[in-house]
PDB file of all heavy atoms in Angstrom:
ATOM      1  N   THR A 209     -12.676  -8.795  10.734  1.00  0.00           N
ATOM      2  CA  THR A 209     -12.003  -7.722  11.484  1.00  0.00           C
ATOM      3  C   THR A 209     -12.577  -6.284  10.913  1.00  0.00           C
ATOM      4  O   THR A 209     -13.049  -6.296   9.741  1.00  0.00           O
ATOM      5  CB  THR A 209     -10.525  -7.698  11.138  1.00  0.00           C
ATOM      6  OG1 THR A 209     -10.237  -7.280   9.833  1.00  0.00           O
ATOM      7  CG2 THR A 209      -9.914  -9.046  11.433  1.00  0.00           C
ATOM      8  N   PRO A 210     -12.425  -5.298  11.687  1.00  0.00           N
ATOM      9  CA  PRO A 210     -12.572  -3.989  11.123  1.00  0.00           C
ATOM     10  C   PRO A 210     -11.534  -3.724  10.019  1.00  0.00           C
ATOM     11  O   PRO A 210     -10.531  -4.499   9.914  1.00  0.00           O
ATOM     12  CB  PRO A 210     -12.338  -2.978  12.233  1.00  0.00           C
ATOM     13  CG  PRO A 210     -12.477  -3.811  13.397  1.00  0.00           C
ATOM     14  CD  PRO A 210     -12.158  -5.219  13.047  1.00  0.00           C
ATOM     15  N   GLU A 211     -11.872  -2.733   9.079  1.00  0.00           N
ATOM     16  CA  GLU A 211     -10.924  -2.543   7.949  1.00  0.00           C
ATOM     17  C   GLU A 211      -9.504  -2.222   8.470  1.00  0.00           C
ATOM     18  O   GLU A 211      -8.563  -2.692   7.802  1.00  0.00           O
ATOM     19  CB  GLU A 211     -11.405  -1.500   7.088  1.00  0.00           C
ATOM     20  CG  GLU A 211     -10.646  -1.243   5.744  1.00  0.00           C
ATOM     21  CD  GLU A 211     -11.297  -0.339   4.871  1.00  0.00           C
ATOM     22  OE1 GLU A 211     -11.995   0.597   5.421  1.00  0.00           O
ATOM     23  OE2 GLU A 211     -11.085  -0.407   3.629  1.00  0.00           O
ATOM     24  N   GLN A 212      -9.393  -1.554   9.518  1.00  0.00           N
ATOM     25  CA  GLN A 212      -8.004  -1.229  10.079  1.00  0.00           C
ATOM     26  C   GLN A 212      -8.111  -0.940  11.517  1.00  0.00           C
ATOM     27  O   GLN A 212      -9.159  -0.612  12.046  1.00  0.00           O
ATOM     28  CB  GLN A 212      -7.412  -0.135   9.305  1.00  0.00           C
ATOM     29  CG  GLN A 212      -8.173   1.271   9.361  1.00  0.00           C
ATOM     30  CD  GLN A 212      -7.545   2.280   8.479  1.00  0.00           C
ATOM     31  OE1 GLN A 212      -6.628   2.014   7.719  1.00  0.00           O
ATOM     32  NE2 GLN A 212      -8.062   3.484   8.631  1.00  0.00           N
ATOM     33  N   GLY A 213      -6.988  -0.922  12.199  1.00  0.00           N
ATOM     34  CA  GLY A 213      -6.899  -0.528  13.604  1.00  0.00           C
ATOM     35  C   GLY A 213      -5.859  -1.390  14.341  1.00  0.00           C
ATOM     36  O   GLY A 213      -5.617  -2.466  14.040  1.00  0.00           O
ATOM     37  N   TYR A 214      -5.148  -0.742  15.380  1.00  0.00           N
ATOM     38  CA  TYR A 214      -4.196  -1.374  16.228  1.00  0.00           C
ATOM     39  C   TYR A 214      -4.706  -1.471  17.549  1.00  0.00           C
ATOM     40  O   TYR A 214      -5.450  -0.616  18.074  1.00  0.00           O
ATOM     41  CB  TYR A 214      -2.889  -0.549  16.079  1.00  0.00           C
ATOM     42  CG  TYR A 214      -2.250  -0.489  14.743  1.00  0.00           C
ATOM     43  CD1 TYR A 214      -2.224   0.679  14.039  1.00  0.00           C
ATOM     44  CD2 TYR A 214      -1.787  -1.601  14.205  1.00  0.00           C
ATOM     45  CE1 TYR A 214      -1.674   0.719  12.757  1.00  0.00           C
ATOM     46  CE2 TYR A 214      -1.119  -1.603  12.940  1.00  0.00           C
ATOM     47  CZ  TYR A 214      -1.073  -0.346  12.267  1.00  0.00           C
ATOM     48  OH  TYR A 214      -0.551  -0.323  10.977  1.00  0.00           O
ATOM     49  N   GLY A 215      -4.295  -2.508  18.249  1.00  0.00           N
ATOM     50  CA  GLY A 215      -4.721  -2.680  19.607  1.00  0.00           C
ATOM     51  C   GLY A 215      -6.225  -2.918  19.797  1.00  0.00           C
ATOM     52  O   GLY A 215      -6.826  -2.529  20.855  1.00  0.00           O
ATOM     53  N   LEU A 216      -6.798  -3.614  18.922  1.00  0.00           N
ATOM     54  CA  LEU A 216      -8.221  -3.804  18.910  1.00  0.00           C
ATOM     55  C   LEU A 216      -8.618  -4.915  19.885  1.00  0.00           C
ATOM     56  O   LEU A 216      -7.940  -5.922  20.263  1.00  0.00           O
ATOM     57  CB  LEU A 216      -8.793  -4.264  17.480  1.00  0.00           C
ATOM     58  CG  LEU A 216      -8.567  -3.168  16.398  1.00  0.00           C
ATOM     59  CD1 LEU A 216      -8.978  -3.845  15.141  1.00  0.00           C
ATOM     60  CD2 LEU A 216      -9.366  -1.936  16.688  1.00  0.00           C
ATOM     61  N   PRO A 217      -9.911  -4.912  20.500  1.00  0.00           N
ATOM     62  CA  PRO A 217     -10.407  -5.964  21.295  1.00  0.00           C
ATOM     63  C   PRO A 217     -10.777  -7.091  20.367  1.00  0.00           C
ATOM     64  O   PRO A 217     -11.061  -6.963  19.141  1.00  0.00           O
ATOM     65  CB  PRO A 217     -11.662  -5.389  21.866  1.00  0.00           C
ATOM     66  CG  PRO A 217     -12.152  -4.288  20.921  1.00  0.00           C
ATOM     67  CD  PRO A 217     -10.827  -3.738  20.316  1.00  0.00           C
ATOM     68  N   ALA A 218     -10.800  -8.321  20.967  1.00  0.00           N
ATOM     69  CA  ALA A 218     -11.155  -9.524  20.120  1.00  0.00           C
ATOM     70  C   ALA A 218     -11.882 -10.532  20.917  1.00  0.00           C
ATOM     71  O   ALA A 218     -11.772 -10.629  22.199  1.00  0.00           O
ATOM     72  CB  ALA A 218      -9.765 -10.141  19.533  1.00  0.00           C
ATOM     73  N   VAL A 219     -12.650 -11.342  20.256  1.00  0.00           N
ATOM     74  CA  VAL A 219     -13.488 -12.401  20.841  1.00  0.00           C
ATOM     75  C   VAL A 219     -13.268 -13.659  19.983  1.00  0.00           C
ATOM     76  O   VAL A 219     -13.259 -13.589  18.764  1.00  0.00           O
ATOM     77  CB  VAL A 219     -14.925 -12.109  21.089  1.00  0.00           C
ATOM     78  CG1 VAL A 219     -15.525 -11.772  19.697  1.00  0.00           C
ATOM     79  CG2 VAL A 219     -15.711 -13.131  21.833  1.00  0.00           C
ATOM     80  N   ALA A 220     -13.102 -14.812  20.649  1.00  0.00           N
ATOM     81  CA  ALA A 220     -13.155 -16.086  19.937  1.00  0.00           C
ATOM     82  C   ALA A 220     -14.472 -16.769  20.293  1.00  0.00           C
ATOM     83  O   ALA A 220     -14.839 -16.790  21.431  1.00  0.00           O
ATOM     84  CB  ALA A 220     -11.981 -17.008  20.441  1.00  0.00           C
ATOM     85  N   PHE A 221     -15.199 -17.316  19.293  1.00  0.00           N
ATOM     86  CA  PHE A 221     -16.505 -17.761  19.408  1.00  0.00           C
ATOM     87  C   PHE A 221     -16.669 -19.201  19.089  1.00  0.00           C
ATOM     88  O   PHE A 221     -16.189 -19.779  18.042  1.00  0.00           O
ATOM     89  CB  PHE A 221     -17.426 -16.966  18.457  1.00  0.00           C
ATOM     90  CG  PHE A 221     -18.867 -17.094  18.693  1.00  0.00           C
ATOM     91  CD1 PHE A 221     -19.616 -16.283  19.400  1.00  0.00           C
ATOM     92  CD2 PHE A 221     -19.570 -18.205  18.031  1.00  0.00           C
ATOM     93  CE1 PHE A 221     -20.955 -16.403  19.569  1.00  0.00           C
ATOM     94  CE2 PHE A 221     -20.985 -18.395  18.252  1.00  0.00           C
ATOM     95  CZ  PHE A 221     -21.662 -17.514  19.024  1.00  0.00           C
TER      96      PHE A 221
END
Side-chain angles (χ1 to χ4, degrees):
T209 74
E211 187 173 24
Q212 60 184 9
Y214 297 109
L216 298 173
V219 60
F221 190 95

